[in-house]
């Protein structure tokens, strides 16, 4: 009887599975934001949340120049605030205030789940006329928020629970960002994409300084980062990290998390790291791997990590598109996923950590404009003339 040999996984299937493990939660986050926007914005004028009514009418009657000026000023102020806070984060981390940062992030997560999540839940209760008393509501909301903080920061729980809470935090924050005026939203998205590009790639960028400091200390940065499961549990002996020099790992978790808009690939390490690109042959000479140039270390399997800020701004883009129509939602979603795939390919080519916002956001904004200006007109003309395609 001939012995059947198990075929090794192909390169395409391995890469595809890795990409799907990060695309699936991103898609789920965007879908939930679109559903929330569609349900709550479809309310009558008397039942709609006041913030939504304000965001829809705040730019009414203003000229195009006034809208553009206000949008630019708001986005510049927001990016400046984020930059200052990130440098403050670097300073606190430099002075080893890691415990303070961890508890601050936990408190921020509790505020998001309890206050922002609670208000959205009240909107949904009012929308669907769900009978619930206030005491039960506050008890359930408090327990839900505490469990979320513990799952993300303070204790080890099942990875599915941690991933679900991270996606939910992204949904809640993204929904409130969709309440901004339209011009402000688009200007903010473009500004954050440019900020992410500069903060990660420039030598003095705050995110780059923060990560390099963590690398030099072999410490973990408290941050909201989504981690996908490793592709293959049996080969999870290698580690994927962005290193400044090709040195061997010591079995500790060198880089676990990154700031909001950082894309990195990491795994638990047992043997020395390798610095081969993501798209490479599995039978690479081990000696060559150990002595390769600086860059992102890549093994045969691993867990992709994506900052929660990327989830938020991806979802803000499709949520804003959902306020117009679903044709733009489809176009923006495909553009974002394509941009994320391009980022992963660039990650494999350049062998270093890259910002995940710029390509996806710029493609999403471009596709939104093209769909709203060109594709919608084409589809409407086809429909009115009874043309099928």
């Amino acid at each position: 009887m001939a012995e059947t040999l198990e075929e090794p996984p192909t390169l395409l299937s391995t890469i595809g599975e890795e990409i799907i493990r990060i695309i699936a939660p991103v898609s789920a986050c965007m879908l939930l934001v679109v559903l929330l926007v569609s349900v709550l914005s479809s309310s009558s004028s008397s039942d709609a949340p006041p913030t939504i009514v304000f965001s829809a009418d705040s730019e009414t009657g203003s000229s195009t120049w006034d809208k553009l000026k206000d949008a630019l000023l708001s986005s510049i102020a927001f990016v400046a605030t984020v930059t200052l806070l990130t440098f403050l984060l670097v300073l606190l981390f430099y002075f080893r205030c890691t415990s303070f940062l961890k508890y601050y992030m936990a408190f921020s997560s509790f505020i998001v789940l309890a206050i922002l999540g609670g208000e959205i839940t009240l909107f949904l209760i009012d929308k669907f006329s769900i009978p619930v008393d206030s005491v039960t509501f506050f008890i359930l909301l408090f327990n839900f928020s505490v469990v979320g903080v513990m799952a993300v920061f303070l204790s080890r729980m099942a990875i599915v629970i941690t991933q679900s809470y991270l996606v939910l935090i992204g949904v809640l924050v993204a929904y409130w960002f969709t309440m901004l005026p339209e011009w402000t939203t688009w200007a903010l998205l473009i500004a954050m994409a440019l900020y992410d590009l500069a903060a990660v790639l420039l030598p003095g960028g705050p995110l780059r300084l923060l990560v390099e400091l963590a690398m030099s200390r072999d410490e973990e940065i408290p941050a909201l980062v989504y981690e996908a499961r490793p592709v293959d549990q049996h080969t999870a002996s290698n580690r994927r990290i962005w290193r400044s020099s090709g040195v061997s790992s010591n079995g500790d978790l060198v880089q676990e998390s990154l700031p909001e808009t950082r894309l990195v690939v990491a795994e638990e390490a047992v043997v020395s790291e390798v610095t081969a690109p993501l798209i490479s042959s599995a039978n690479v000479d081990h000696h060559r791997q150990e002595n390769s140039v600086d860059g992102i270390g890549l093994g045969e399997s691993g867990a992709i990590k994506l900052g929660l800020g990327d989830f938020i701004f991806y979802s803000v883009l499709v949520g804003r598109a959902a306020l117009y129509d679903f044709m733009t939602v489809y176009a923006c979603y495909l553009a974002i996923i394509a941009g994320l795939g391009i980022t992963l390919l660039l990650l494999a080519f350049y062998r270093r950590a890259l910002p995940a916002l710029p390509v996806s956001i710029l493609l999403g904004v471009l596709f939104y404009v093209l769909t709203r200006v060109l594709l919608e007109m084409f589809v409407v003309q086809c429909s009115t003339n009874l043309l099928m395609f």
Side-chain angles (χ1 to χ4, degrees):
M1 183 176 180
E3 182 180 359
T4 59
L5 298 177
E6 183 179 356
E7 296 183 359
T10 62
L11 177 65
L12 183 60
S13 63
T14 302
I15 297 174
E17 189 173 358
E18 289 183 352
I19 295 176
I20 289 174
R21 288 182 184 276
I22 200 65
I23 288 180
V26 170
S27 302
C29 184
M30 290 190 287
L31 175 62
L32 292 175
V33 172
V34 169
L35 291 178
L36 280 177
V37 169
S38 302
V39 170
L40 296 180
S41 64
S42 62
S43 304
S44 61
S45 59
S46 59
D47 298 331
T51 47
I52 294 181
V53 175
F54 171 78
S55 66
D57 298 337
S58 60
E59 294 183 340
T60 304
S62 301
S63 64
T64 303
W65 170 249
D66 291 336
K67 295 177 182 178
L68 180 60
K69 182 179 64 175
D70 294 340
L72 291 177
L73 291 176
S74 300
S75 59
I76 291 173
F78 184 85
V79 170
T81 303
V82 171
T83 304
L84 292 176
L85 291 178
T86 309
F87 276 114
L88 179 60
L89 177 63
V90 175
L91 186 63
L92 291 175
F93 189 74
Y94 177 79
F95 288 107
R96 302 184 183 276
C97 301
T98 308
S99 299
F100 171 78
L101 293 175
K102 181 178 180 180
Y103 288 114
Y104 170 75
M105 295 297 296
F107 176 75
S108 301
S109 301
F110 179 81
I111 293 298
V112 170
L113 292 171
I115 297 182
L116 301 185
E119 190 165 356
I120 292 176
T121 305
L122 289 176
F123 293 159
L124 294 175
I125 289 175
D126 182 66
K127 170 70 177 180
F128 296 103
S129 302
I130 301 175
V132 60
D133 61 277
S134 58
V135 176
T136 303
F137 173 78
F138 283 112
I139 291 176
L140 293 177
L141 180 63
F142 179 78
N143 291 337
F144 177 77
S145 303
V146 170
V147 172
V149 173
M150 295 178 63
V152 176
F153 286 101
L154 303 180
S155 65
R156 287 291 181 181
M157 294 189 180
I159 190 172
V160 176
I161 299 178
T162 302
Q163 291 172 339
S164 301
Y165 268 104
L166 286 172
V167 171
L168 183 60
I169 291 174
V171 170
L172 296 177
V173 177
Y175 172 76
W176 287 100
F177 268 103
T178 60
M179 295 183 178
L180 294 173
E182 183 177 9
W183 284 69
T184 303
T185 303
W186 295 116
L188 180 61
L189 288 173
I190 297 175
M192 286 303 300
L194 296 177
Y195 162 78
D196 191 32
L197 190 66
V200 173
L201 298 183
L202 290 181
L207 299 184
R208 181 165 183 171
L209 292 175
L210 188 63
V211 172
E212 290 178 348
L213 183 60
M215 291 291 184
S216 63
R217 293 179 176 178
D218 252 14
E219 293 182 4
E220 173 185 345
I221 305 173
L224 292 171
V225 179
Y226 182 93
E227 178 182 0
R229 290 185 180 184
V231 175
D232 188 355
Q233 298 288 347
H234 300 288
T235 61
S237 59
N238 294 329
R239 147 182 274 172
R240 299 182 181 187
I241 53 177
W242 178 39
R243 279 291 200 183
S244 58
S245 61
V247 297
S248 60
S249 56
N250 58 4
D252 296 329
L253 192 58
V254 173
Q255 183 173 351
E256 213 20 71
S257 57
L258 289 176
E260 290 180 347
T261 55
R262 193 55 179 252
L263 177 64
V264 71
V265 188
E267 333 179 343
E268 294 184 358
V270 176
V271 298
S272 60
E273 69 182 58
V274 293
T275 55
L278 177 65
I279 303 177
S280 62
S281 174
N283 299 320
V284 181
D285 184 75
H286 183 69
H287 177 75
R288 179 184 176 185
Q289 291 175 347
E290 288 183 341
N291 297 278
S292 55
V293 297
D294 302 342
I296 179 168
L298 296 172
E300 293 182 359
S301 66
I304 298 178
K305 291 189 175 184
L306 189 65
L308 203 62
D310 302 314
F311 282 77
I312 293 172
F313 290 107
Y314 292 162
S315 302
V316 169
L317 199 155
V318 294
R320 169 51 62 178
L323 291 173
Y324 186 70
D325 65 3
F326 281 100
M327 187 186 303
T328 56
V329 172
Y330 302 144
C332 292
Y333 170 76
L334 294 177
I336 289 173
I337 297 303
L340 187 57
I342 292 173
T343 304
L344 292 175
L345 292 179
L346 292 175
L347 175 69
F349 180 76
Y350 287 104
R351 293 182 290 176
R352 58 174 299 174
L354 296 174
L357 276 183
V359 179
S360 294
I361 293 297
L362 294 180
L363 281 179
V365 173
L366 177 63
F367 272 60
Y368 175 84
V369 174
L370 293 179
T371 303
R372 186 166 177 174
V373 174
L374 300 178
L375 184 59
E376 182 187 21
M377 184 183 304
F378 172 74
V379 172
V380 169
Q381 290 297 324
C382 290
S383 300
T384 54
N385 291 280
L386 302 179
L387 295 177
M388 304 295 293
F389 60 92

